[in-house]
Amino acid sequence: MQKSGTTILLIYTGGTIGMINQPGSEALAPVDFNEISSQLPELKRFECKIDTLAFDPIRDSSNADPAFWSQLAEIIQKHYYHYDGFVVLHGTDTMAYTASALSFMLENLDKPVILTGSQLPIGVLRTDGKENLLTAIEIASDIKNGQPVVPEVCIFFQNSLFRGNRTTKHSAEYFHAFRSYNYPSLAETGVHINYNFKAIQYPANKRPLSIHTKLELRVGLLKVFPGMSKEWIQSCLHAPELKGLVLETYGSGNAPTSKWFLEELEEAIARGLVIVNVTQCQAGSVEPGKYETSRLIHELGVVNGRDMTTESALTKLMFLLGKGLDTAELGIYMNRSLCGEISL
Ligand code: ASP
């Protein structure tokens, strides 16, 4: 239920929702928030109070990076006690990375942070942006028994509300651009907003929000593929000062068993590199030892990333390495649910 007097901070970072064609070109680039709000007279009809804040510069989310996530986390922290919920307008391309990173960076979050955007700009007649934004605001301002209904970092897109760190962009074409393959949606919207209360995580204790903006940048992502050369693997594993690597393997966590490949991994782990195994498949989990091809790499000390998305595994690694944990602690925390990002 929406209550008048509820306050929402709408943070505009960029993305297709606020883009127009550049003069003399087919390419889309972001415009400022005034042009968006002029397309959205509906914003004035909400019972809740909506303040807006635009990033400078606004960006295509392909230019998102950890410094940008930190900026977002700092804005949310600065305004945390003045608003009941936050809606972040963001490009779809890296929205799942930003949502995953924020879920780790905003410790003790007990208010909604809902990311949304669109596949078509808000000025286009058939835009999906209006519905996405209006429903995201409605969800962010929803209160039950005096408490926010969804006190999590989420992505709302088309008809679904997903836990942000379980989400992946799966379509560059359709309006249902996001999926959460390994965790149920937190709400489905139609005529009503139907919350899946059992899937929503509520904080056990009320603690002040604390943000973590120190992320380790010396991490990498490596997708295994048939025919990988030794030189390619060596150049990745020997990247200067590399601290952590997400290894995207086949199926339930399987990788080649060639002697040279296993030796390269073994040597990198011995040097202190943390390697986390996640699957290239969109749904399902790493299951070490189900096949010989996964047993061998896990015996070398590769960490089981279970059913985490790549976006989650990578940002969690940045976050945990940023905390200065040692290799053993990292192995433990990668396999712990910090904010619902992993099934145990
Ligand atoms: N390139 C755009 C972005 O991520 C795509 C979008 O918003 O859908 O910013």
Side-chain angles (χ1 to χ4, degrees):
M1 204 189 81
Q2 282 214 341
K3 275 200 3 208
S4 58
T6 310
T7 52
I8 296 296
L9 183 62
L10 176 59
I11 305 169
Y12 172 51
T13 70
T16 294
I17 193 160
M19 289 191 187
I20 56 167
N21 288 114
Q22 292 311 287
S25 134
E26 289 288 296
L28 290 165
V31 291
D32 72 35
F33 190 77
N34 293 336
E35 292 196 42
I36 301 183
S37 54
S38 65
Q39 307 281 345
L40 277 167
E42 295 89 345
L43 285 179
K44 297 201 178 70
R45 292 177 51 198
F46 275 101
E47 281 196 28
C48 59
K49 179 173 178 292
I50 303 166
D51 289 336
T52 54
L53 194 155
F55 256 63
D56 185 18
I58 42 178
R59 66 187 76 205
D60 184 300
S61 77
S62 303
N63 289 318
D65 58 13
F68 162 74
W69 301 334
S70 297
Q71 225 181 320
L72 253 177
E74 278 159 6
I75 288 176
I76 292 170
Q77 183 185 46
K78 180 168 171 209
H79 298 279
Y80 195 67
Y81 297 103
H82 302 125
Y83 293 93
D84 298 298
F86 299 83
V87 173
V88 180
L89 285 177
H90 193 289
T92 58
D93 290 343
T94 62
M95 194 185 286
Y97 285 93
T98 298
S100 300
L102 283 180
S103 73
F104 302 119
M105 294 166 84
L106 301 173
E107 192 181 345
N108 302 328
L109 182 75
D110 64 0
K111 296 185 180 184
V113 174
I114 316 289
L115 283 83
T116 194
S118 68
Q119 296 278 51
L120 280 177
I122 203 113
V124 171
L125 204 54
R126 229 161 38 77
T127 185
D128 51 331
K130 263 192 190 186
E131 275 195 43
N132 285 349
L133 174 55
L134 299 177
T135 310
I137 293 174
E138 202 160 327
I139 291 171
S141 58
D142 234 351
I143 304 275
K144 197 175 173 220
N145 303 328
Q147 299 298 323
V149 176
V150 194
E152 296 202 34
V153 178
C154 302
I155 288 182
F156 177 76
F157 226 84
Q158 211 196 22
N159 296 320
S160 304
L161 181 74
F162 297 123
R163 176 170 298 155
N165 57 32
R166 291 292 196 149
T167 309
T168 273
K169 180 173 179 180
H170 91 124
S171 176
E173 169 66 21
Y174 296 110
F175 287 163
H176 51 85
F178 290 89
R179 283 280 184 271
S180 166
Y181 289 97
N182 287 330
Y183 196 75
S185 58
L186 305 186
E188 288 297 325
T189 66
V191 173
H192 301 105
I193 298 176
N194 295 304
Y195 291 104
N196 181 3
F197 287 103
K198 281 203 294 267
I200 301 171
Q201 199 157 268
Y202 292 95
N205 302 301
K206 264 212 170 307
R207 295 208 178 94
L209 179 79
S210 126
I211 66 165
H212 304 272
T213 53
K214 192 162 175 260
L215 301 179
E216 177 58 67
L217 303 182
R218 291 166 294 183
V219 295
L221 172 58
L222 173 60
K223 182 171 186 156
V224 299
F225 61 93
M228 293 176 299
S229 69
K230 186 171 178 177
E231 293 70 32
W232 169 244
I233 294 297
Q234 279 177 334
S235 67
C236 293
L237 296 179
H238 286 276
E241 295 188 60
L242 188 68
K243 299 273 186 257
L245 181 78
V246 173
L247 188 68
E248 267 197 4
T249 57
Y250 308 125
S252 52
N254 309 315
T257 51
S258 37
K259 191 162 173 287
W260 68 263
F261 179 72
L262 296 174
E263 279 172 2
E264 290 298 334
L265 292 188
E266 188 172 19
E267 187 269 332
I269 291 167
R271 272 191 280 122
L273 182 69
V274 179
I275 304 180
V276 182
N277 186 8
V278 296
T279 174
Q280 294 176 11
C281 297
Q282 292 187 299
S285 182
V286 167
E287 293 182 63
K290 181 171 181 194
Y291 295 91
E292 185 72 351
T293 43
S294 63
R295 183 179 69 80
L296 294 174
I297 58 170
H298 283 278
E299 279 178 5
L300 298 178
V302 168
V303 175
N304 182 0
R306 298 175 188 250
D307 66 346
M308 275 189 288
T309 60
T310 296
E311 294 88 333
S312 230
L314 191 73
T315 53
K316 187 173 177 180
L317 197 54
M318 288 175 165
F319 165 73
L320 291 176
L321 284 166
K323 299 243 125 300
L325 302 187
D326 65 29
T327 316
E329 290 170 319
L330 263 153
I332 294 170
Y333 281 98
M334 280 310 283
N335 268 277
R336 217 171 253 185
S337 168
L338 305 182
C339 37
E341 73 283 3
I342 192 168
S343 308
L344 298 173

